[in-house]
Amino acid sequence: MGRNNKGVIGSDKKSCARSLFFFTFTGTKKNPGAQKKEDLEDMMQDWFRNAKLGIFIHYGIYAVGDVSESWSFHNGNISYEDYMKQCEGFTASKFDAKKWAELFQKAGAQYVVMTAKHHDGVALFDTGYSDLSVVKKTPAARDLVKEYTAAMREAGLKVGLYYSLIDWSDPRYRTVYPEGMKKEDCLNDIYGSPAGKEEEPQKWQEFLEFNNHQLKELMSNYGTVDLLWFDGDWERSAAQWKMPEFREYLHTLNPNVVLNSRMQGYGDYETPEQGIPLYGPKGEWEFCTTINDSWGYRPSDNDYKSSGQIVRMFCDCITLGGRMLLDIGPKEDGTLDERQEQVLLDLGGWIHDHEEAVFGTEKGLDYNHFLGGSTISADQKTMYLFVYDKPQETLCVKGIKTPVKRVTVLHTGEELRFSYTGSLPWSGIPGTLWIWAGEMSVHPFATVVKVELEDEITYNLGHGEVVTFNE
């Protein structure tokens, strides 16, 4: 990812692109030449619009030594030489992509994204443009991307690949300064800039061509790649990356490939990270998060989120009209920590029990209508309310004008009583819907209450009225 495992930009070693990083991830940096939203919406693929859950896989040599991916040497927590010595211990000896695919299916995922290359420059595929790969530099000596793409596709999952635009191992990458930065700003940025030396624009162009060559390999040698998940764009400007031309080039390789946002404004959808947004970003978006605090496998990181927390975060995402990309970090041998596997199975179990509230649904009610998560059916005639704790008495829904026909607990079919207060039909005021849920059967992670309406949902978005006539 674009940060170390704790979300910190740097420690001992300063990056001259640090301010660019903050601009990119807080949304305060605007690119006037970026793609218009309506153009992106026209190019978005239906499979992604309909997807609710993806699995993110951070797999690489960093699983050997209990260090964060790439950032550990960038920030000076470990020397570059010691970081690369991890190649000697990366075996992938129990790597079984088909077993992964079976687990992801059970988790309820529709797509998967795996690191093809992180910022350290170590490719998980057999590239002809660099010797730095797990095929050539590790005991694994296998093209892991080949096995991964084949297994996911066979399982009916959409195939995504993470590719770092930056490469802190390639001398050609560090031959120009981030746009707007001066030499004196970058003296300590030995991996991302010339660090006080003169720029070499020709070598920078060679690096851009290198990226293009590797991406052509990924897009040409492994069947259809449905999604490209870029990272690292913050260290250069859109002009330096030649983003308009880059985007066009990618579409010559696959006109239907979905591109994430980390392309200096030239991607197809937004990618908020770790912190769930309070409001859903405009257009399509995806929330990526870790199961513990680390993207890659770290045996010392035992700060795991509970299955209930992950289910709630998932519900928050689909309430706001987005989707979750949930990260796992395999061990160096390719197996998963049993705690990560259990979270995936629990999430999948919950999704299986509540499929109609998840798939084929749309963004839920505004929190002003219901103080909890929800989704709405495609025909606009059913509300699905997410209840995270056992109600003391009732659930309260406000401002829904369409009369309710029936209320049930989705996972049991149990019917719930409902009533209204403050309803003034002659004035258009729908009143407050009360669902008597104090005695309902609750799900261990989140209960879904299904509210069937007489017709398509309509709202009263007013602020209340003075009653001047009573019957």
Side-chain angles (χ1 to χ4, degrees):
M1 294 297 294
R3 318 179 193 205
N4 64 18
N5 67 307
K6 295 294 183 183
V8 179
I9 307 306
S11 53
D12 297 328
K13 291 186 181 294
K14 296 180 180 179
S15 168
C16 62
R18 180 179 297 186
S19 59
L20 292 179
F21 180 96
F22 277 115
F23 287 148
T24 300
F25 278 85
T26 60
T28 57
K29 184 181 180 184
K30 300 296 183 183
N31 182 0
Q35 291 286 106
K36 294 181 179 179
K37 283 287 182 185
E38 54 268 29
D39 294 337
L40 300 181
E41 290 173 3
D42 288 342
M43 301 184 73
M44 178 55 68
Q45 301 300 305
D46 285 341
W47 75 261
F48 189 80
R49 294 183 197 274
N50 297 327
K52 302 296 184 179
L53 177 66
I55 303 298
F56 212 176
I57 308 168
H58 276 66
Y59 190 33
I61 65 169
Y62 37 84
V64 173
D66 195 12
V67 297
S68 65
E69 64 290 341
S70 307
W71 287 97
S72 51
F73 72 80
H74 178 275
N75 292 343
N77 301 322
I78 185 176
S79 70
Y80 178 80
E81 292 72 22
D82 285 341
Y83 180 91
M84 283 300 167
K85 283 181 181 178
Q86 293 179 109
C87 286
E88 300 170 7
F90 186 79
T91 66
S93 58
K94 299 179 181 178
F95 173 73
D96 186 342
K98 289 187 177 181
K99 188 175 181 179
W100 282 8
E102 291 174 4
L103 176 62
F104 302 156
Q105 285 178 311
K106 291 178 181 178
Q110 294 81 58
Y111 68 107
V112 189
V113 180
M114 187 177 81
T115 47
K117 187 181 78 168
H118 205 265
H119 311 327
D120 57 14
V122 182
L124 269 66
F125 60 102
D126 190 11
T127 174
Y129 295 92
S130 169
D131 288 335
L132 191 53
S133 72
V134 297
V135 180
K136 299 173 182 175
K137 293 292 185 179
T138 76
R142 297 162 64 180
D143 189 328
L144 302 180
V145 168
K146 182 177 181 180
E147 297 177 46
Y148 154 78
T149 53
M152 299 306 128
R153 194 173 295 114
E154 183 180 348
L157 297 164
K158 292 295 183 179
V159 174
L161 291 174
Y162 169 110
Y163 184 87
S164 172
L165 293 169
I166 62 182
D167 188 331
W168 290 331
S169 289
D170 193 321
R172 295 170 297 183
Y173 174 70
R174 46 184 181 265
T175 54
V176 296
Y177 294 98
E179 187 175 291
M181 294 294 175
K182 301 175 182 178
K183 288 182 182 179
E184 52 268 31
D185 298 323
C186 304
L187 297 178
N188 295 321
D189 189 14
I190 61 174
Y191 297 111
S193 81
K197 299 177 183 178
E198 295 299 318
E199 291 187 323
E200 299 179 79
Q202 183 56 43
K203 288 190 176 181
W204 171 250
Q205 295 306 313
E206 291 178 10
F207 177 75
L208 294 181
E209 292 173 9
F210 164 71
N211 273 357
N212 286 350
H213 288 316
Q214 284 201 324
L215 284 161
K216 186 174 183 179
E217 288 178 319
L218 290 171
M219 299 286 277
S220 303
N221 299 340
Y222 302 96
T224 300
V225 175
D226 301 293
L227 186 151
L228 284 173
W229 214 100
F230 291 111
D231 202 10
D233 64 331
W234 70 86
E235 286 204 335
R236 301 290 186 265
S237 68
Q240 288 176 305
W241 288 120
K242 297 185 176 181
M243 276 301 176
E245 297 89 343
F246 182 57
R247 178 182 172 89
E248 184 176 346
Y249 170 71
L250 295 173
H251 282 142
T252 65
L253 301 174
N254 178 1
N256 297 319
V257 67
V258 176
L259 306 172
N260 78 328
S261 65
R262 302 183 185 190
M263 297 176 66
Q264 288 288 353
Y266 287 88
D268 296 329
Y269 68 92
E270 299 299 324
T271 56
E273 176 180 333
Q274 293 289 41
I276 299 173
L278 296 178
Y279 305 96
K282 292 182 179 180
E284 299 298 331
W285 61 277
E286 165 199 85
F287 168 66
C288 58
T289 190
T290 53
I291 286 181
N292 52 9
D293 285 336
S294 304
W295 295 103
Y297 176 67
R298 297 198 64 179
S300 63
D301 183 358
N302 295 302
D303 192 14
Y304 277 77
K305 302 174 183 69
S306 69
S307 294
Q309 286 177 300
I310 294 296
V311 168
R312 179 162 182 169
M313 293 164 71
F314 174 72
C315 290
D316 284 345
C317 288
I318 62 177
T319 293
L320 296 174
R323 56 200 54 77
M324 175 185 274
L325 184 63
L326 181 60
D327 180 72
I328 59 171
K331 300 177 183 179
E332 65 81 17
D333 65 3
T335 60
L336 294 181
D337 187 297
E338 61 182 14
R339 292 169 292 182
Q340 296 188 28
E341 186 170 348
Q342 189 60 53
V343 167
L344 293 184
L345 291 174
D346 287 343
L347 175 58
W350 185 88
I351 291 174
H352 179 268
D353 290 343
H354 304 95
E355 285 185 350
E356 71 171 271
V358 175
F359 302 116
T361 58
E362 299 178 1
K363 180 180 177 180
L365 298 170
D366 187 273
Y367 292 126
N368 292 323
H369 290 290
F370 176 62
L371 294 176
S374 62
T375 55
I376 298 173
S377 62
D379 66 4
Q380 301 292 296
K381 293 183 178 181
T382 305
M383 302 183 297
Y384 299 95
L385 309 181
F386 302 144
V387 183
Y388 304 120
D389 301 297
K390 185 174 178 60
Q392 290 295 315
E393 183 180 67
T394 57
L395 302 175
C396 175
V397 183
K398 304 174 184 177
I400 306 302
K401 297 173 70 173
T402 312
V404 171
K405 180 169 58 177
R406 186 167 180 256
V407 180
T408 53
V409 178
L410 188 55
H411 77 286
T412 65
E414 172 189 358
E415 191 156 350
L416 300 179
R417 181 167 65 91
F418 63 92
S419 58
Y420 287 93
T421 57
S423 177
L424 299 172
W426 50 267
S427 69
I429 299 175
T432 299
L433 169 66
W434 300 93
I435 300 172
W436 297 84
E439 301 300 322
M440 73 176 183
S441 300
V442 295
H443 192 280
F445 300 130
T447 306
V448 178
V449 173
K450 179 179 179 179
V451 182
E452 299 173 68
L453 305 175
E454 296 283 357
D455 205 341
E456 292 184 13
I457 190 169
T458 55
Y459 304 91
N460 182 319
L461 302 177
H463 51 71
E465 300 179 27
V466 176
V467 178
T468 58
F469 174 78
N470 285 303
E471 294 183 332

Coordinates of all heavy atoms in Angstrom, one line a residue, residues 25-63:
F25 N -4.0 11.7 -0.6 CA -4.9 10.9 0.2 C -6.0 11.6 0.9 O -6.9 11.1 1.4 CB -4.1 10.0 1.1 CG -3.5 8.8 0.4 CD1 -2.3 8.9 -0.3 CD2 -4.2 7.6 0.5 CE1 -1.8 7.8 -0.9 CE2 -3.7 6.5 -0.2 CZ -2.5 6.6 -0.9
T26 N -5.8 13.0 1.1 CA -6.9 13.7 1.8 C -7.8 14.4 0.8 O -8.8 14.9 1.1 CB -6.3 14.9 2.7 OG1 -5.5 15.7 1.8 CG2 -5.4 14.3 3.7
G27 N -7.5 14.3 -0.5 CA -8.4 14.8 -1.5 C -8.2 16.3 -1.7 O -9.1 16.9 -2.4
T28 N -7.2 16.9 -1.1 CA -7.1 18.4 -1.3 C -6.3 18.8 -2.5 O -6.2 19.9 -2.9 CB -6.4 19.0 0.0 OG1 -5.1 18.4 0.1 CG2 -7.3 18.8 1.2
K29 N -5.6 17.8 -3.1 CA -4.9 18.1 -4.3 C -5.8 17.9 -5.5 O -6.3 16.8 -5.7 CB -3.6 17.2 -4.4 CG -2.8 17.6 -5.6 CD -1.6 16.7 -5.7 CE -0.7 17.0 -6.9 NZ 0.4 16.1 -7.1
K30 N -6.0 18.9 -6.4 CA -6.8 18.7 -7.5 C -6.0 18.8 -8.8 O -5.1 19.5 -8.9 CB -7.9 19.9 -7.5 CG -8.7 19.9 -6.3 CD -9.6 18.7 -6.2 CE -10.6 18.8 -5.0 NZ -11.4 17.6 -4.9
N31 N -6.4 18.0 -9.7 CA -5.7 17.9 -11.0 C -6.7 18.4 -12.1 O -7.6 17.7 -12.4 CB -5.3 16.5 -11.3 CG -4.5 16.4 -12.6 OD1 -4.3 17.4 -13.3 ND2 -4.1 15.2 -13.0
P32 N -6.5 19.6 -12.6 CA -7.4 20.2 -13.5 C -7.6 19.4 -14.8 O -8.6 19.5 -15.5 CB -6.8 21.6 -13.8 CG -5.4 21.5 -13.5 CD -5.3 20.5 -12.4
G33 N -6.6 18.5 -15.2 CA -6.7 17.8 -16.4 C -7.3 16.4 -16.2 O -7.3 15.6 -17.1
A34 N -7.7 16.0 -15.0 CA -8.2 14.7 -14.7 C -9.5 14.4 -15.4 O -10.2 15.3 -15.9 CB -8.3 14.5 -13.2
Q35 N -9.8 13.1 -15.5 CA -11.0 12.6 -16.1 C -12.2 13.2 -15.5 O -12.3 13.3 -14.2 CB -11.0 11.1 -16.1 CG -10.0 10.4 -16.9 CD -10.3 10.5 -18.4 OE1 -9.7 11.2 -19.1 NE2 -11.3 9.7 -18.8
K36 N -13.2 13.5 -16.2 CA -14.5 14.0 -15.7 C -15.2 12.8 -15.1 O -15.2 11.7 -15.7 CB -15.3 14.7 -16.8 CG -14.7 16.0 -17.3 CD -15.6 16.6 -18.3 CE -15.0 17.9 -18.9 NZ -15.9 18.5 -19.9
K37 N -16.0 13.0 -14.1 CA -16.8 11.9 -13.4 C -17.7 11.2 -14.4 O -17.8 10.0 -14.4 CB -17.6 12.5 -12.2 CG -16.7 12.8 -11.0 CD -16.3 11.5 -10.3 CE -15.5 11.7 -9.1 NZ -15.0 10.5 -8.5
E38 N -18.4 12.0 -15.2 CA -19.3 11.4 -16.2 C -18.7 10.5 -17.2 O -19.2 9.5 -17.6 CB -20.2 12.5 -16.9 CG -19.4 13.5 -17.6 CD -19.1 14.8 -16.8 OE1 -19.0 14.6 -15.5 OE2 -19.0 15.9 -17.3
D39 N -17.4 10.9 -17.6 CA -16.7 10.0 -18.5 C -16.3 8.7 -17.8 O -16.4 7.6 -18.4 CB -15.4 10.7 -19.0 CG -15.7 12.0 -19.8 OD1 -16.8 12.0 -20.4 OD2 -14.9 12.9 -19.9
L40 N -15.9 8.8 -16.5 CA -15.5 7.6 -15.8 C -16.7 6.6 -15.6 O -16.6 5.4 -15.7 CB -15.0 7.9 -14.4 CG -13.7 8.8 -14.5 CD1 -13.2 9.1 -13.0 CD2 -12.6 8.2 -15.3
E41 N -17.9 7.3 -15.4 CA -19.1 6.5 -15.2 C -19.5 5.7 -16.4 O -20.0 4.6 -16.4 CB -20.2 7.4 -14.7 CG -20.0 7.9 -13.3 CD -21.1 8.9 -12.8 OE1 -22.0 9.2 -13.6 OE2 -20.9 9.4 -11.7
D42 N -19.3 6.4 -17.6 CA -19.6 5.7 -18.8 C -18.7 4.5 -19.1 O -19.1 3.5 -19.8 CB -19.4 6.7 -20.0 CG -20.5 7.8 -20.0 OD1 -21.6 7.5 -19.4 OD2 -20.3 8.8 -20.6
M43 N -17.5 4.5 -18.5 CA -16.5 3.4 -18.8 C -16.5 2.4 -17.7 O -15.9 1.3 -17.9 CB -15.1 4.0 -18.9 CG -15.0 5.1 -20.0 SD -13.3 5.7 -20.3 CE -12.5 4.2 -21.0
M44 N -17.2 2.6 -16.6 CA -17.3 1.6 -15.5 C -18.0 0.4 -15.9 O -19.0 0.4 -16.6 CB -17.9 2.3 -14.3 CG -18.1 1.3 -13.1 SD -16.5 0.6 -12.6 CE -15.7 2.0 -11.9
Q45 N -17.4 -0.8 -15.5 CA -18.0 -2.1 -15.9 C -19.1 -2.5 -14.9 O -19.0 -2.2 -13.7 CB -16.8 -3.1 -15.9 CG -15.7 -2.8 -16.8 CD -16.2 -2.7 -18.3 OE1 -16.8 -3.6 -18.8 NE2 -15.9 -1.6 -18.9
D46 N -20.1 -3.1 -15.4 CA -21.2 -3.5 -14.6 C -20.8 -4.5 -13.5 O -21.4 -4.4 -12.4 CB -22.3 -4.2 -15.4 CG -23.1 -3.2 -16.3 OD1 -23.1 -2.0 -15.9 OD2 -23.7 -3.6 -17.3
W47 N -19.9 -5.4 -13.7 CA -19.5 -6.3 -12.7 C -19.0 -5.6 -11.5 O -19.2 -6.0 -10.3 CB -18.4 -7.3 -13.2 CG -17.0 -6.8 -13.4 CD1 -16.4 -6.3 -14.5 CD2 -16.0 -6.6 -12.3 NE1 -15.1 -5.9 -14.3 CE2 -14.9 -6.1 -12.9 CE3 -16.0 -6.9 -11.0 CZ2 -13.7 -5.8 -12.2 CZ3 -14.9 -6.6 -10.2 CH2 -13.7 -6.1 -10.9
F48 N -18.2 -4.5 -11.7 CA -17.7 -3.7 -10.5 C -18.8 -3.0 -9.8 O -18.8 -2.9 -8.6 CB -16.6 -2.8 -11.0 CG -15.8 -2.2 -9.8 CD1 -14.9 -2.9 -9.2 CD2 -16.2 -0.9 -9.4 CE1 -14.2 -2.3 -8.1 CE2 -15.5 -0.3 -8.3 CZ -14.5 -1.0 -7.7
R49 N -19.7 -2.4 -10.6 CA -20.9 -1.7 -10.0 C -21.6 -2.6 -9.0 O -22.1 -2.2 -8.0 CB -21.8 -1.2 -11.0 CG -21.3 -0.1 -12.0 CD -22.5 0.3 -12.9 NE -22.0 1.0 -14.0 CZ -21.8 2.4 -14.1 NH1 -22.0 3.1 -13.0 NH2 -21.4 3.0 -15.2
N50 N -21.7 -3.9 -9.4 CA -22.5 -4.9 -8.7 C -21.8 -5.6 -7.6 O -22.4 -6.2 -6.7 CB -23.1 -5.9 -9.6 CG -24.1 -5.3 -10.7 OD1 -24.8 -4.3 -10.4 ND2 -24.1 -5.9 -11.9
A51 N -20.5 -5.5 -7.6 CA -19.6 -6.2 -6.6 C -19.8 -5.5 -5.2 O -19.9 -4.3 -5.1 CB -18.2 -6.2 -7.0
K52 N -19.8 -6.3 -4.2 CA -19.9 -5.8 -2.8 C -18.6 -6.1 -2.0 O -18.3 -5.4 -1.1 CB -21.1 -6.4 -2.1 CG -22.4 -6.2 -2.8 CD -22.8 -4.7 -2.9 CE -24.2 -4.5 -3.5 NZ -24.6 -3.1 -3.5
L53 N -17.9 -7.2 -2.4 CA -16.7 -7.6 -1.6 C -15.6 -8.1 -2.5 O -15.8 -8.9 -3.4 CB -17.1 -8.7 -0.6 CG -16.0 -9.3 0.2 CD1 -15.5 -8.3 1.2 CD2 -16.4 -10.5 1.0
G54 N -14.4 -7.5 -2.2 CA -13.2 -8.0 -2.9 C -12.2 -8.4 -1.8 O -12.3 -8.0 -0.6
I55 N -11.3 -9.3 -2.1 CA -10.2 -9.7 -1.2 C -8.9 -9.2 -1.7 O -8.6 -9.3 -2.9 CB -10.1 -11.3 -1.1 CG1 -11.5 -11.9 -0.7 CG2 -9.0 -11.7 -0.2 CD1 -11.9 -11.4 0.7
F56 N -8.2 -8.5 -0.9 CA -6.9 -7.9 -1.2 C -5.8 -8.8 -0.6 O -5.9 -9.3 0.5 CB -6.8 -6.5 -0.5 CG -6.0 -5.5 -1.2 CD1 -6.0 -4.2 -0.6 CD2 -5.3 -5.7 -2.3 CE1 -5.3 -3.2 -1.3 CE2 -4.6 -4.7 -3.0 CZ -4.6 -3.4 -2.4
I57 N -4.8 -9.1 -1.4 CA -3.7 -10.0 -0.9 C -2.4 -9.3 -1.0 O -2.0 -8.9 -2.1 CB -3.7 -11.3 -1.8 CG1 -5.0 -12.0 -1.9 CG2 -2.6 -12.2 -1.2 CD1 -5.1 -13.1 -2.9
H58 N -1.7 -9.0 0.1 CA -0.4 -8.5 0.1 C 0.6 -9.7 0.4 O 0.7 -10.1 1.5 CB -0.2 -7.4 1.2 CG -0.6 -6.1 0.7 ND1 -1.9 -5.7 0.4 CD2 0.1 -4.9 0.5 CE1 -2.0 -4.5 0.0 NE2 -0.8 -4.0 0.0
Y59 N 1.2 -10.2 -0.7 CA 2.1 -11.3 -0.6 C 3.4 -11.0 -1.1 O 3.5 -10.4 -2.2 CB 1.4 -12.5 -1.3 CG 2.1 -13.8 -1.1 CD1 2.7 -14.2 0.1 CD2 2.1 -14.8 -2.2 CE1 3.3 -15.5 0.3 CE2 2.7 -16.0 -2.0 CZ 3.2 -16.4 -0.8 OH 3.8 -17.6 -0.6
G60 N 4.5 -11.2 -0.4 CA 5.8 -10.9 -0.9 C 6.9 -11.3 0.1 O 6.6 -11.9 1.1
I61 N 8.1 -11.0 -0.2 CA 9.2 -11.4 0.6 C 9.2 -10.8 2.0 O 9.8 -11.3 2.9 CB 10.6 -11.0 0.0 CG1 10.8 -9.5 -0.1 CG2 10.7 -11.7 -1.4 CD1 12.2 -9.1 -0.5
Y62 N 8.4 -9.7 2.2 CA 8.3 -9.1 3.5 C 7.6 -10.0 4.5 O 7.6 -9.7 5.7 CB 7.5 -7.7 3.4 CG 6.4 -7.7 2.4 CD1 5.1 -8.2 2.7 CD2 6.6 -7.3 1.0 CE1 4.1 -8.2 1.7 CE2 5.6 -7.3 0.1 CZ 4.3 -7.8 0.5 OH 3.3 -7.8 -0.5
A63 N 7.0 -11.1 4.1 CA 6.4 -12.0 5.0 C 7.4 -12.8 5.7 O 7.1 -13.5 6.7 CB 5.4 -12.9 4.2

